[in-house]
Amino acid sequence: MGQRLNRCLDVPVALPPLRRRLLLLFIMLFLWLYMFYSCAGSCAGLTARGSPAPPRAAPPLPPLLPGDPGEESSLEEQRAAPDAGSPLSSFFNGSGTKRLPQAIIIGVKKGGTRALLEFLRVHPDVRAVGAEPHFFDRNYERGLAWYRELMPKTLEGQITMEKTPSYFVTKEAPARISSMSKGTKLIVVVRDPVTRAISDYTQTLSKKPDIPTFESLTFKNRTTGLIDTSWSAIQIGIYAKHLENWLLYFPIGQILFVSGERLISDPAGELGRVQDFLGLKRIITDKHFYFNKTKGFPCLKKAEGSSKPHCLGKTKGRTHPDIDQEVVQRLRDFYRPFNMKFYQMTGQDFGWD
């Protein structure tokens, strides 16, 4: 009987007892892993009584509004799955807990927030929802339970994140986030406000080709040179004004300011600062990036859950229209005092002047 069993297992009769035990242990471990992997998705759907529970779908995100001033991502990015299905992500889908975010990228639009989020998601201890929830500006009445359901599941020691750039310019957002958790860590990606405004206009132009020129939208009166600060593309770049509102609810040390320019020129350096700020081990380094000359910004050698290089979509890195240099200079003069105040408030000189 024993000989037959050994033949079936293709194990020599003369196999030493120690090696035989190790082989059996390996087989048992393999079977356990197989059962665990199979159960990760299906067993999570069972109730305590053992009967199948109906799948609990994440609540729908708000409708996508292509012309919305607060929109940062393209429609393609907004519709992307929050956690594109890598084998590892699929394996852990049945485990972990949905938590409210401990860190939020709150701004700014066209500053580089999508790039920062995609870079951060390479870190094994960062889990982030891909689409912008817009909870603290558009969907607050839906409640925190709705917001939590949007978040990916995390294991102990992992950080839950989201990014919605319009929070930075939303008056109610600081109080609402503070009400959720006073300890929330905030990240703001900032960029030369003049370049940011042109980038903002370029994005709108790609969707509405018949809009007025950048020059005509910039001024209330071109002759007098009076800047129209009611235009969102201009208003967003007055960073010092918006920051004052946030400092009513959060200490400056709880807000990290990331340079959009350095995120392009030295992504690993800026990501090092972000990882330190979040209390994470510095895992994302130079080895994760390569510079794409065609797009003009860094790309990931391997994206989360993929073995292939990954660059941001075609909506990023658009060619800016030619803007009258006199208008550009007037904007630089307009922003200069606000930039100086912002440097003082943050303790950082971003070199925009």
Side-chain angles (χ1 to χ4, degrees):
M1 181 69 181
Q3 291 180 346
R4 288 180 185 175
L5 179 61
N6 280 315
R7 287 195 194 99
C8 291
L9 293 175
D10 198 24
V11 179
V13 176
L15 193 67
L18 180 59
R19 292 181 63 185
R20 186 179 300 181
R21 290 175 185 171
L22 289 174
L23 178 59
L24 289 173
L25 182 62
F26 175 81
I27 293 172
M28 290 173 65
L29 180 61
F30 175 83
L31 290 173
W32 182 86
L33 286 172
Y34 177 81
M35 291 174 65
F36 181 83
Y37 183 86
S38 301
C39 191
S42 60
C43 293
L46 297 179
T47 62
R49 295 180 180 178
S51 58
R56 192 177 183 184
L61 284 169
L64 301 172
L65 306 174
D68 195 301
E71 180 194 16
E72 162 73 4
S73 299
S74 66
L75 299 184
E76 173 188 339
E77 289 167 337
Q78 288 280 19
R79 291 188 177 115
D83 295 285
S86 68
L88 190 60
S89 296
S90 300
F91 183 83
F92 284 115
N93 260 352
S95 59
T97 305
K98 290 191 175 186
R99 298 178 174 88
L100 292 169
Q102 298 105 309
I104 303 176
I105 301 174
I106 59 173
V108 299
K109 181 184 177 187
K110 308 310 298 177
T113 58
R114 171 60 56 182
L116 177 60
L117 186 70
E118 291 303 309
F119 294 164
L120 276 174
R121 289 173 74 178
V122 172
H123 201 293
D125 290 334
V126 171
R127 300 280 283 160
V129 59
E132 295 170 5
H134 284 280
F135 176 66
F136 296 104
D137 56 351
R138 301 180 195 163
N139 296 288
Y140 194 63
E141 72 285 351
R142 294 176 183 250
L144 287 173
W146 178 88
Y147 185 46
R148 183 186 287 108
E149 274 302 306
L150 295 178
M151 300 300 138
K153 290 182 177 179
T154 55
L155 301 173
E156 195 66 35
Q158 290 183 317
I159 292 177
T160 302
M161 292 188 68
E162 72 115 317
K163 76 107 178 171
T164 303
S166 52
Y167 290 162
F168 188 63
V169 297
T170 300
K171 186 177 180 180
E172 300 82 8
R176 290 172 174 178
I177 295 176
S178 177
S179 177
M180 176 188 73
S181 173
K182 295 184 183 298
T184 306
K185 292 185 177 182
L186 308 173
I187 300 174
V188 189
V189 188
V190 289
R191 181 184 183 187
D192 181 336
V194 178
T195 309
R196 197 221 65 81
I198 296 171
S199 180
D200 198 335
Y201 173 80
T202 304
Q203 176 174 285
T204 306
L205 183 65
S206 70
K207 297 167 186 173
K208 298 179 179 180
D210 57 343
I211 61 171
T213 64
F214 180 87
E215 289 83 355
S216 62
L217 290 170
T218 297
F219 298 102
K220 283 185 177 180
N221 186 310
R222 180 72 183 267
T223 305
T224 62
L226 184 63
I227 304 293
D228 187 357
T229 56
S230 65
W231 183 30
S232 64
I234 299 295
Q235 196 254 352
I236 290 172
I238 308 175
Y239 303 139
K241 174 185 173 183
H242 304 301
L243 181 56
E244 286 177 343
N245 190 32
W246 287 89
L247 293 180
L248 296 175
Y249 298 90
F250 293 92
I252 193 72
Q254 210 167 307
I255 308 174
L256 179 69
F257 300 91
V258 175
S259 165
E261 287 82 10
R262 286 196 292 271
L263 198 57
I264 294 174
S265 63
D266 181 20
E270 284 301 281
L271 264 293
R273 294 180 59 239
V274 177
Q275 289 171 97
D276 291 346
F277 175 71
L278 295 175
L280 297 170
K281 183 179 179 182
R282 284 200 179 198
I283 289 178
I284 307 170
T285 60
D286 282 324
K287 68 180 182 181
H288 289 92
F289 302 99
Y290 74 96
F291 190 81
N292 186 304
K293 293 182 180 179
T294 303
K295 284 187 167 291
F297 50 72
C299 301
L300 289 168
K301 290 181 180 177
K302 291 183 181 181
E304 180 203 26
S306 172
S307 59
K308 298 179 180 179
H310 172 69
C311 276
L312 298 180
K314 61 183 179 181
T315 61
K316 304 301 179 183
R318 295 187 185 95
T319 302
H320 291 178
D322 290 329
I323 305 297
D324 186 332
Q325 287 305 301
E326 180 189 349
V327 174
V328 171
Q329 188 55 51
R330 287 196 181 187
L331 275 176
R332 294 208 175 282
D333 294 340
F334 166 77
Y335 278 121
R336 186 169 293 110
F338 296 109
N339 290 345
M340 294 298 107
K341 184 175 181 180
F342 185 65
Y343 296 170
Q344 291 177 336
M345 295 171 77
T346 61
Q348 292 179 241
D349 185 340
F350 291 91
W352 297 326
D353 300 286

